[in-house]
């Protein structure tokens, strides 16, 4: 499933100087939550979110850690040794995990949150809700 996401993205965007596909081992992603919500990478790992699950893989597709989390885990990004995960639903929030997927802190997002990215130390949060 992860390979499908990576290959689909490569068809939409210009190819970067280096392109790696990661194929997850069969059965490691939840079949009940049919698609990936977010993906981000560090030099050592690939992080994936599904509706109620977070995963950490090595670059060979081996599952290193799985967390069952509250719904609805969405987009995610990696910056400065931390994984930022957006949760949308009754209480929109951003939760911050260390590289070993231990929860470090969280913040309620009163205006909602859908997408997340980080550039030069600035966290950008997208909002597609009508709550603004």
């Amino acid at each position: 499933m992860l390979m499908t996401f990576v290959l689909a993205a490569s068809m939409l965007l210009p190819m970067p100087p280096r392109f790696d596909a990661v194929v997850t081992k069969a059965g490691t992603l939840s079949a009940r939550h049919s698609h990936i919500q977010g993906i981000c990478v560090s030099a050592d790992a690939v992080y994936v979110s599904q509706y109620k699950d977070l995963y950490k893989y090595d670059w060979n597709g081996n599952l290193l850690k799985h967390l069952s989390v509250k719904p609805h885990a969405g987009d995610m990004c990696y910056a400065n040794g931390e994984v930022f995960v957006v949760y949308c639903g009754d209480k929109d929030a951003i939760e911050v995990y260390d590289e070993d997927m231990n929860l470090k802190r969280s913040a309620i997002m009163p205006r909602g949150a859908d997408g997340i990215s980080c550039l030069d130390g600035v966290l950008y949060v997208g909002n597609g809700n009508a709550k603004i």
Side-chain angles (χ1 to χ4, degrees):
M1 183 183 297
L2 183 56
M3 184 173 136
T4 304
F5 174 83
V6 173
L7 292 177
S10 71
M11 292 184 281
L12 300 173
L13 304 171
M15 289 297 282
R18 180 174 161 222
F19 181 78
D20 288 327
V22 175
V23 180
T24 60
K25 304 297 183 205
T28 61
L29 287 169
S30 172
R32 69 178 193 254
H33 305 132
S34 63
H35 66 280
I36 292 170
Q37 297 289 325
I39 183 172
C40 64
V41 299
S42 70
D44 299 318
V46 177
Y47 301 89
V48 177
S49 65
Q50 283 187 300
Y51 180 68
K52 290 171 58 176
D53 299 284
L54 299 179
Y55 303 90
K56 178 183 178 181
Y57 292 92
D58 67 18
W59 281 96
N60 294 314
N62 297 305
L63 180 64
L64 301 175
K65 187 148 188 187
H66 167 255
L67 294 177
S68 293
V69 296
K70 65 184 177 189
H72 174 259
D75 197 15
M76 59 193 329
C77 71
Y78 176 89
N80 301 321
E82 297 179 317
V83 179
F84 297 80
V85 181
V86 169
Y87 288 86
C88 5
D90 292 338
K91 297 220 177 187
D92 296 338
I94 296 173
E95 291 191 344
V96 184
Y97 299 84
D98 65 19
E99 290 178 319
D100 293 321
M101 301 305 294
N102 299 304
L103 181 63
K104 293 177 69 176
R105 61 190 180 280
S106 62
I108 299 296
M109 300 300 293
R111 293 186 178 167
D114 290 327
I116 192 166
S117 189
C118 186
L119 178 65
D120 296 330
V122 178
L123 194 62
Y124 296 88
V125 179
N127 180 317
N129 292 331
K131 295 181 188 177
I132 296 179

